[in-house]
Every structure is written in C-alpha cells, then in structure tokens.
Amino acid sequence: MTELTTARSETTVRAFPLPRTGCPMQPAPDYAVLRETEPVSRVKLTFNGREAWLLTRYEDMQQMLRDPRFESDIADPGYPLQFGFPLELLEQGIVQRTLFHMDPPVHTQHRMMLMPEMTAKKVEAMRPRTQEIVDELIDAMLAQGGPVDIISALTMPLPSVAMTELLDVPRDQTDLFYRWITSLVTQGTPEEHAAANTEVEILLHRLIAERTENPADDLISSLILRNRERGGDLGPTDISALVRTMIAGGHESTMNGMTMAVLVLLSHPDQAALLREKPELAGQAVDELMRFSSVADHGTVRVAKEDAEIGGQLIRKGEGVICSLTAANHDPRVFADPNTLDFHRKEAAQNIAFGYGHHRCAGQVLVRMQMEVVFTTLLRRIPGLRLAKPVEELPFKEKALIDGLHELPVTW
C-alpha cells in the first residue's frame, strides 16, 4: 500500500479554471508544472467557490474514470458544478438527467438505446449528405467573398443542419436548441437555464408524442421503436433526455471543436499543406487536432462516493474531481513533444478529447466524420484560406465549459 497524501492544511488551493496566459490554442501553462510537481492538486471553482481535486496526468484520469467509486451525480453537494443548472427541474421530474450525469447500470441501459444509431456503417452512410451540406456552405462563402466569419458560415450551421435533419426537426427550431445549449455551457443564471430547459422539453415532448403516433425515418422515431422492442421501460421524459444528450454533444462541442481545429490548422501551414496533399491522412489529422486543442478541457468531472486513492492522493467520500483533458492530451509520458502538431503522430489516437471509459462520447464517430469532411474540403476548395486577424486579436470565449471563439474571420 502506498503512503497516501492526506494533509489538507499544506495544500495550495488555486482558483479554477486556470488561465491560458500563453498561446490560447495551448493548455494553461500551469498544467505542465502541476503534472510534474502536484498532479492531484486542490482547486476552488471561481463560479461557486466549491473546492475539488484537479487531475493533470493522463494515467490518473484513466484510473479515475474507470473507477466505479466515482460517480456523475450532478445533484451531489460535492459535484464540481460549473454552471447554474436548475436542480429543481430534476427534483420535480420536469427533466431527466442526460447521459452525462448518469452512472451504470442506468447509464448503460440508456446509452445502448443510442449506440445503434452511431455505428460506423450508419455514420459512413451520412457522409455524402454531409459533403453536400459542406459544399453548399462553402459555395455561399465563396460567393460572399472574404473575409467571412467561419463560425457563422460553416462550423455552426453544419452541426445545426445535420442535427435537425437527424431528428427531423423544423429548421426554424434550430435557434431554440442553440440558445438552450449555450445556456448549458455558459455561467448564466438558474432562471435562464430553467427557461431554456423548459422550452426545449416542451418541444421534444410534442415531437415524441407525434412520432409515437406516426413514426418516421428519424432518430426520435428510432428511439421510440427501439424502446418498444425492449419492453417500453423508458417514458417520454427518458427519450427526451437521450435526444438532449445528442443535441448537446452534437452541436456545441462539435462547433467549438471544429472551429478551434480550423484555427490550429491555419496556424500550422506546414500541416495544412500536408493534409491538402494527402487527404487520406484526414482521420489521423482529426485525432491530432483534437489532442492538440481539447475544447472540453474541464467539463469531465466526478464525485467520490467512497474514499479512494488516485495518484497517491487520498480523495475522500463526497469530494469532487475535475479532469483536465487538455493537460492529459499534452502529457509527455504518452505524447512525445506534446506541444508540436504532427499529423503523422502514431499515438494521437490515444487522445481522450472525447472522454474515456463508459462516458466516452457516444457520437464521436459522427463528429469525426464531419470534421474529416470539413477540413479536407476547405483545404481542397480554398487552398489560399488564411486567418483574417492575428491570433492575439481573436475573441476567445471566457466563462464557458467548452473552449472556443465568438468569431473566427478568415479570408483567401
């Protein structure tokens, strides 16, 4: 048994999130120091003052994320909550927890409802339509002429159109979903969160009722039919939670991840040229871009339901834990020369930008395919694509669970 670090009085408590004082595409510089000197460190959330443990080593995160002694209960007082989610909606049964805040065996049961929709074969069948959408959006960019904001022109509408088509939701509801997702990943008020959640829940319950009576060829209908085949254990609120999981994971994370990846790509012209010349490297390129700039840096959190040791540190029952996925993806123990972007990097596929363990992103196959299409098409159709502003002048998001930009102007 290793000697555990138990003293709390001598532990430095840092404000969290840690600032990215260097290059905004790179992790906070303090992560590298903590990985070597204090890999399991104490932090205080600037959002609500709660204290938690911060993990910065890849191996420690893998250990914790597969340990059943840590759970995802958002209602636990020790959970490192970083946004104003209205817990009373859960208590009153107005909404159900999404997959992000479930644990096995319930998590397993609900996740298996979604997985048949996200197989490699099904996602690959979506590639031609994804290519059509991307080409249409790039046509509009070229017709407008530069400079254009690539977020409003491409990286936001692509996942929006893809998701509304997957769910067969009228496109005029896209703004509603976007407002709801934005409320989830920013530090808004509980009232703002409650209003957005309620509005989306009303829409989804209406759609579920319609598809229950008249099933169509869409994700909601598929979930309803699959639930019937499995005995009908899930009610409309459970189906709604599954759909909300897909919307949240398939929109905000995808949009910001795609945007940051475009920024990284255009900031590394040698790697952009390599991918333009060898589009067959697209899969490896996506792995490396996700590793290099993990936008969901500190959204992977757990709370201990009993005492446990991680990285030689005793974490007591009820204490929260935060995983810095960016710190893990720049751990030199796993990724040689981690601050270098390299599309030939063989270990890039080991990145945990999409999470790890049973909570690994269910829709990652779809997101990866969309990114492959976007990057290869942009480089092929607009070979002179470049940033229209210096990186230091770009408006990076603050006070958000998902890192990203408010605007990314490009030209050619």
Side-chain angles (χ1 to χ4, degrees):
M1 181 72 175
T2 58
E3 182 179 350
L4 303 184
T5 303
T6 60
R8 306 299 168 92
S9 59
E10 300 177 2
T11 301
T12 299
V13 180
R14 297 169 178 80
F16 189 85
L18 303 180
R20 293 196 183 195
T21 55
C23 173
M25 291 178 282
Q26 296 279 5
D30 287 346
Y31 284 150
V33 177
L34 290 173
R35 264 198 313 265
E36 302 308 316
T37 62
E38 198 179 350
V40 185
S41 60
R42 205 72 180 142
V43 295
K44 177 180 284 190
L45 304 181
T46 56
F47 174 60
N48 56 16
R50 290 186 182 182
E51 291 193 9
W53 293 102
L54 172 67
L55 306 186
T56 50
R57 284 185 182 170
Y58 184 97
E59 182 180 5
D60 291 341
M61 286 181 226
Q62 283 195 323
Q63 178 190 342
M64 193 276 289
L65 291 173
R66 62 175 176 251
D67 191 328
R69 292 175 295 179
F70 293 88
E71 59 186 4
S72 308
D73 184 4
I74 191 174
D76 190 290
Y79 186 88
L81 188 64
Q82 298 174 68
F83 60 98
F85 184 82
L87 295 175
E88 61 271 15
L89 294 183
L90 293 176
E91 296 165 359
Q92 297 167 6
I94 296 173
V95 300
Q96 291 285 1
R97 300 165 192 263
T98 63
L99 285 177
F100 307 119
H101 302 121
M102 292 179 180
D103 294 293
V106 176
H107 175 274
T108 306
Q109 176 193 9
H110 286 236
R111 181 183 171 94
M112 290 307 295
M113 289 283 291
L114 278 177
M115 293 314 294
E117 303 301 317
M118 293 291 113
T119 64
K121 183 178 181 179
K122 280 205 169 187
V123 168
E124 194 58 30
M126 301 178 196
R127 188 183 290 266
R129 176 56 184 149
T130 302
Q131 185 68 63
E132 288 179 2
I133 297 170
V134 171
D135 280 327
E136 290 168 4
L137 294 170
I138 291 178
D139 285 343
M141 284 175 57
L142 292 171
Q144 175 183 333
V148 299
D149 172 25
I150 205 162
I151 297 176
S152 59
L154 178 61
T155 61
M156 183 170 67
L158 170 60
S160 296
V161 172
M163 190 56 60
T164 54
E165 290 188 356
L166 186 63
L167 299 173
D168 193 17
V169 174
R171 288 199 185 184
D172 59 7
Q173 300 294 340
T174 300
D175 287 344
L176 167 59
F177 288 142
Y178 183 66
R179 281 188 282 110
W180 166 65
I181 295 163
T182 301
S183 78
L184 287 180
V185 297
T186 57
Q187 295 178 352
T189 66
E191 292 75 20
E192 291 170 337
H193 287 285
N197 270 278
T198 302
E199 196 174 0
V200 165
E201 197 69 9
I202 290 171
L203 170 62
L204 291 179
H205 273 259
R206 177 171 62 79
L207 293 173
I208 290 167
E210 291 174 357
R211 308 290 161 77
T212 299
E213 292 298 320
N214 298 292
D217 185 18
D218 63 89
L219 176 62
I220 296 174
S221 297
S222 294
L223 291 174
I224 292 168
L225 293 173
R226 188 168 298 115
N227 185 44
R228 286 177 182 169
E229 292 169 357
R230 296 187 178 195
D233 293 338
L234 305 185
T237 306
D238 298 307
I239 300 293
S240 174
L242 287 171
V243 176
R244 285 189 288 116
T245 297
M246 285 298 299
I247 297 169
H251 193 289
E252 187 73 6
S253 296
T254 303
M255 178 189 74
N256 285 294
M258 204 176 289
T259 302
M260 287 295 289
V262 170
L263 172 59
V264 171
L265 193 61
L266 298 184
S267 301
H268 295 77
D270 59 328
Q271 293 302 293
L274 174 62
L275 183 56
R276 185 182 299 110
E277 295 166 7
K278 297 184 177 181
E280 64 272 17
L281 290 176
Q284 291 175 232
V286 169
D287 282 335
E288 177 67 348
L289 287 164
M290 293 298 94
R291 180 203 70 81
F292 190 84
S293 188
S294 308
V295 294
D297 179 20
H298 48 84
T300 299
V301 299
R302 300 289 186 271
V303 62
K305 59 183 182 181
E306 59 183 270
D307 290 357
E309 175 191 353
I310 299 293
Q313 173 65 56
L314 174 64
I315 297 177
R316 295 193 176 107
K317 178 181 179 180
E319 293 184 330
V321 183
I322 302 170
C323 296
S324 168
L325 301 184
T326 303
N329 284 332
H330 283 72
D331 190 335
R333 295 165 183 78
V334 182
F335 307 100
D337 195 11
N339 293 334
T340 297
L341 186 73
D342 180 6
F343 290 164
H344 285 302
R345 183 185 296 276
K346 289 183 171 51
E347 72 273 21
Q350 298 178 46
N351 81 80
I352 56 173
F354 288 105
Y356 182 79
H358 59 258
H359 275 280
R360 188 169 174 85
C361 177
Q364 63 171 305
V365 179
L366 175 60
V367 175
R368 286 170 52 84
M369 181 273 288
Q370 291 175 337
M371 290 187 173
E372 289 176 14
V373 173
V374 165
F375 304 148
T376 54
T377 307
L378 270 177
L379 293 175
R380 172 175 53 82
R381 294 198 55 189
I382 316 179
L385 190 69
R386 64 185 187 278
L387 297 176
K389 282 186 179 180
V391 172
E392 55 270 19
E393 294 181 15
L394 296 175
F396 286 86
K397 291 183 177 180
E398 298 179 356
K399 296 183 178 181
L401 276 179
I402 308 295
D403 294 329
L405 290 150
H406 293 290
E407 181 185 48
L408 181 58
V410 297
T411 191
W412 51 89

